[in-house]
Amino acid sequence: MRKNIYKLFGALIIGVSIFACKKSFLDRPPQAAFTEASLSNAKGVNATLIAAYAALDGWTDNGWGNAAGNPWPTAGSNWIFGSVASDDAYPGSQPNDQVPVERIRRYQWLTDETYYRAKWQAIYWGVSRTNLTLRLVDKAEDLTQADKDQIIGESKFLRAHYHFDGYKMFKNIPFIDETTTEFRQPNDVDIFPKIEADFQEAIAKLPEVSSVSSGRATKGAAQAYLARAYMFVGRYADAKPLLQAVIAGGKYALVDNYHDNFDPATQNNKEMLFAFKASVNDGAGESANGNWGDRLNAPHSSTVTECCGFHQPSQNLVNAFKTDANGLPLFATFNNTDYNQATDNVDPRLDWTVGRIGSPYLDWGPFLAGWIRDAGYCGTFSPKKNIFAKAEKGTLSTASGWQSVPSAIDIPFIRYSDVLLMAAECEIETNGNLDLARTYINQVRTRAGNFVQGPGTSAANISVPLGTGVFPTATYKIGTYPSTGWTQDYARQAVRWERRMELAMEGYRLFDLRRWNVDVDVLNTYMNVEKTKRTALFAGAETVTSKHHLYPIPSVEIDLSKINGTAQLKQNPGY
Amino acid sequence: MLKKNNYNVRFLCLMVLLFVGSNLLAQKRITGTITNKDNNQPVSGATVQVKGSNNATLTRNDGTFEIMANDNAVLVITVVGHKSQEISVNNRAVVNIAMETSMNSLEEVIVTGYTAQRKRDLTGAISVVKPDEMNKIASPSFNQQIEGKASGVSVTTSGQPGAAASIRIRGNSTFTLGGGEPLLVIDGVQVRGAYQNTINPNDIESIQVLKDAATTAAYGIGANNGVIIITTKKGKAGQPKIEFNSYFGTQSATNSYDKILLGTAQEYADLVYQSYNNAGQWPQPGDAIVARIYGVGPKPVLPAYVNPLPANANNPITVDPATYNYPNNLIMKASPGTNWWDAVFHDATMQEYNLSASGGSERGRYFFSANYFDQDGIMKFTDFRRYTLRANSDFKVKGFTFGETFTMAFSDGVGQPNGNQVEQNTLTEGILKMQPIIPVYDIAGNWGGTKAGFGNGKNGLAKVTRNKDNRGETTRMLAGVFGEVRFLNHFTGRISYGIDYTVNFQKNFTYIDYESNEQAGSNGFNEQTDRFKHWIFAQQLTYNNNFGDHSVKAIGVHESQLNEFRSIGGSLNGYFLQSTDLWYLNTGLADPATRTVFSNGGTNNAKESYVGRVEYGYKGKYLLNGTVRYDQSSNFLLDKGQTFGGIGAAWVLTDENFLKNVTWLNSLKLRGAWGVTGNDAINGNVNYTTLGGGPGSTFYDINGTNNNAATGYSTTQLGLPVVWEKQKQYNIGLDGVLLRNRLEFSFDVYQRKNKDFLFQIQQPGTAGLFGSAVGPPYYNLGQISNKGFEFSATWRDRIASDWKYDITANLTFNKNNIDDLAPSLGLKSFFPAIPETRIGPVVRNEIDHPMGTFYGYTLDGIFQSDAEAAASTQQGAKIGRFKWKDVNGDKKIDDLDKGVIGDPNPDLIFGFNFNVAYKNFDFSMFLNGTLGNEIFNYTRYFTDFFGFSGNRSKRMLYDSWTPTHTDAKLPLLDITDNYSFVPSSYYVEDGSYLRCRVLQIGYNLPASLLSKAKIDHLRIYVQGQNLFTITNYGGLDPAMGTRDGTNATEVFSNVDYGNYPTAKVLMVGLNLSF
């Protein structure tokens, strides 16, 4: 009997050990996750390509709460680095709110500022997603060559976009491709040829068709983008044929109403060559697919949104919209007096770009003084291009989460008006056809005069044709340039001015000033006037010098690039 | 990985051992009584064991026992507090024994995991914590109770009720999540994790801390950072015994921000205006928001009311209280100085009730207990409550023993809104970030807040009040069953199964806070459920025999374990009504478009292990043991299996002739141990590059629909196959008992070197990891060592017959060092991978420095003149600002001058315990602390610089640089100083402290009184906890809680983000048994 018990006991042990020894017991693949192998197919590769687009706004909801990964410095719109750092805008809000933005505004550009690092990381985060797609596309056997070309074309377009974003910011950055495994790369080689090559390949592989309802990169977008890149390094002659090809292709055109480019309901239009496509109330927590990077940039009002009052237009920008009796800009005198709505003519684009107290704010009614967080600090102007209409609240803006700002308003990266202005600039700078340049500029100005902000408060009359309504808070006047006096110098001034007006508050201004190499002069002149108007804001500001041509390489990144104690990344000059 | 066949061969060998020989020698029943030699009282609970076998029993309450033994058997009698005795049966049927009292602890039986040994036979370094000492600290968790009670053991926790406490033994040698924690073995079930609140400390019979490889090697891969063996109470043969313990106490904060923060609105306004004046300006009409509140001109004027009226109104604005309107025009009466600490903190109660019943016979024993613990937090609306039940029993049937240990715990509580030690927590937001002019309530009795332009802080009282129903719950079952058979005199077979099952549930509702500057856009609710499941199945065979002067014990174990975790949650916004009855995710209750569901993924890992151990003794004075353990873990893709092991040896010198006649020396033992253990505390997923994502992070509206994102996936984890952490360690120790058993001491020198430590190193940005969207890969990075020595001593004596006292000291000196970093990676230092602070990284690990050193500039005073500032290459150099040291000597101040500015690791941790008893009175005091550790006081960023429009520190107003106060600690108050705030040694403070953890006075009611009421024992006591703390640290509490977040415990130790401080407790209690 006793022996039987022992046998039973022993059998139990052996039984258990056999059970425990099953091969699968110690073989535990990753849980709740894909591997590269499981996504190396058509479906998987397309999904990774979608994710490569998703990084265009520079924001991952997973990074929330990470001081260095805040969505503001990484915003696809570059509102801090391109706009606040230029003469277009102030930080907004109130003192000591987002101090890094204030430091950037004051040209106190610290090498260990967390914001530069966040931007740096966001750029390569986008790059790595394109590289993943490029690695997987080769392994996917169920893709046709045509499919592959399309995917490679889109990926390289995006990779070039991300690198170029970094190039504008820091210039001296490494180029990371799908074969890179050592990420501590030096930044002593000009990566422009690689950006160029990626765009060239995108041009070769992408279809011509303008897919109006789609956010995908196209040949036209790649041509225009490469032209922009060439112009950034002064290669106007290389840019010109690309832009001519886009214009001649006829796939894109100006929309009648300037504001349609900033209304989520009308943004999918023939003018938009390429944009970040924002989406809200789509199942992502707190509408994380909305335009998060611009989340702070809304009036501080419990009526419109609860946030936050950032990215306020500067007095200088508002003054620049003033026009003379012919509706032309006041190049020399615009900033002598501040814009006065009772006496000054103004470009209608002012009221599509800037919220002004007492003036209609889309369909929200007259902009109220109480919607400004701290008028004493950054004035009384408010951003407008990234504000949804009252009629769109909760449907085209988020219905959940912290504050109500994220909306479906896209971030335009290339608009056709930009293409026209770039083409005009190329004609001017290459001693080309000045009249053609004038035609391009006038097309943009003519369109700008079509519709103005309406005085009513209903969704139907946000826009009204100029001349059909009564506009008690502004006298709109915009004219085209005549041929008389249209010299190269004058044309250059005109096209540069036009870019500022047309693209105001869209994050391009500082980078334009840099490529024209006028940033030091323009910004110091600007500050000398502004600091008499906004004392607290400009207190302690540094003088702009040649070092401000480039943002500093984030010092932590330099530290992280060390191999055996030697940093592979070199700091930019002057820091 | 082992092949199946090999595996079975091993087991066949075990089985052969099982079946060899089966003749049983003739045995007979022997009875007897054990008494105390001094007073002739019966001794209950003594172990009577047949020498060289596992045949043993316990004496009953009347001291009697019975046992089956041969006529020539030798009985070994052991009981705590007495010298053990061996006595031959010599054909007798009745054996009575009188035991001599012993005041030393050498006869105590120490459970070392798979085996138990008398303390005198140990070869390893083991600390024993006595439950009665432990339970003097009122806490729901034993973790907090063993702080300072054992040498080599350090504990960190915060004052938040129910907060997790982390334990480090002999320093730390790993950064892995939870890997620095010792392995816990609770009644044979191996558990990990911070949920130790679910073990009722009153149920604990003994705690053994295994510190060196002589014993820890048996746990191989789990044992790198020591093992804590917890045995819960079992019944004892005899009459049922009922025990009841209870206390009630009040808690109050040991510290506040009163010494730190400005107390009045006037001081705050003065500070702000000074910072303007020093920059050569003052708030102008139409200028910054302060002008709207405090007026224009060089001096501030306090207003009567504040409200969020239009910004371009006259300065200062005049407010008409009659225009109040909720929620659009909230008017507050200006406060002369709100004390936000007092608004958020209060005195709170704590209480515990514990009832147990135990008893049994030699055929079976039982122990039941029920416990209720209830602690309100000193932060309002925080609390922790716990209910536990326990049933332990075992039964003997013929040669078999069966039994179970079972405990069920339910706890719930409300913690700080947003968690502990995170930047946006209540301490930071509700206290540091609130200006004193803001009243708690506005003129209509609604919440006061920052809406009028006072930065983005939140009303702390509003925040905790709104948070009061956001309760979290934990339900945990920890249960084990076992069967044991003794056979062939010398063999014991044991089979056991244990399960640890935990469910966490958290719900959270957020309200619209109209009074705040940046109010929430909509209300919202989310809930989350986590499920942890862990089982362990083990079989053990033990052989135990004596051959003359030789004693041998051999153990073979096989065990397998499985761990599973998964989590699910959801959220919904725009609730129509806010009642707690509607806190569900039904779409009908709120805005259906906002509903989300999410999974927090899962883990699933398995382990299978074999252990062999041999213990050998010669004449009880030469002791040797060896352990080999083969572990396989699914957490590794390559090299799943690894062999660990250790050897230990001891020499009892006092058993040698040359020391036999030294009368003042009762016992002296020299010990040595060497061994290898490991650590596998990583998620197996990290071996793989994984892809995934989700609606918010990888999906994209490629078709421009505005409300429908296409599915996208990207890399979520960069994987690299890694191998285990392997630690080699040695220990040399000396144990002594001196001066007629009055002095016991133990001294150990140790070194442990953890090779291939695992770390998720922060990757360069170019790797494409951003925020926490992509997990960086783990690397086997290098070696971390801990060297040190420990000393503990107890002096015990009587003065006359009525006075008894003892004094115990524990000291641990430890030196931590990162010895080398993988040469193939070319690293000299590395940053943590996870979020840092608003001022950039403050922690960087460097070769040849300890783990977790603070990183920044070294403060070199303040620029004293314009000329000095002009001559400096430092960015933003200006008179009155901080000046950094040219650390690398290149005559240039830049980022290369940043380096190690502080060390969070203590040089010394200590605990002192005093007990005095006089007749029926007893008194005890317990002190503990650390020496030589530093704290990075990150709260200074909020209080000392202009990073937020929150309240400011007194030192900023009164001890900042001016031309006439040039030896100031702080830079000039200057609204334009955007430079002095960067990480520097200014933030680093000495964190050494000495704290009086316990002061207790008790009184035992005389037995003569109690016997009438049939009460065995009744003791009442009064007690104070944390009555005083001596420290130079300027923050709230130098005993730093751990930061919330992945791996944060290891990586951000002693970074103070605003900690929930320890409470002072005053209590009365009673212990009753009958």
Side-chain angles (χ1 to χ4, degrees), chain A residues 81-103:
Chain A
F81 304 119
S83 192
V84 172
S86 78
D87 50 358
D88 266 9
Y90 308 135
S93 189
Q94 64 184 65
N96 303 327
D97 195 1
Q98 296 296 325
V99 178
V101 187
E102 296 182 332
R103 283 194 288 265

Side-chain angles (χ1 to χ4, degrees), chain A residues 5-6 16 28 34 62 108-109 111-112 117 183-184 213 215 268 277 289 300 374 376 403 542 557 559 564, chain B residues 286 289 400 517 519 537 604 691 695 700 702-704 762 765-766 772 825-826 844 875 895 898 978-979:
Chain A
I5 290 171
Y6 294 149
V16 165
R28 307 268 160 181
F34 302 110
N62 290 327
Q108 298 168 328
W109 290 4
T111 53
D112 47 9
R117 177 140 181 263
F183 293 103
R184 292 171 294 183
S213 65
N268 289 324
K277 298 286 179 188
N289 295 319
H300 185 58
D374 187 353
Q403 320 275 305
E542 286 186 23
E557 290 298 334
D559 201 277
N564 290 320
Chain B
I289 215 156
F400 290 90
N517 212 349
Q519 73 194 52
F537 189 86
N604 185 330
L691 294 88
Y700 180 65
I702 190 77
N703 294 314
Q762 189 163 122
T766 41
S772 50
L825 293 171
R844 188 174 72 168
Q875 215 171 352
D895 297 307
K898 288 181 173 177
N978 271 328
Y979 299 93

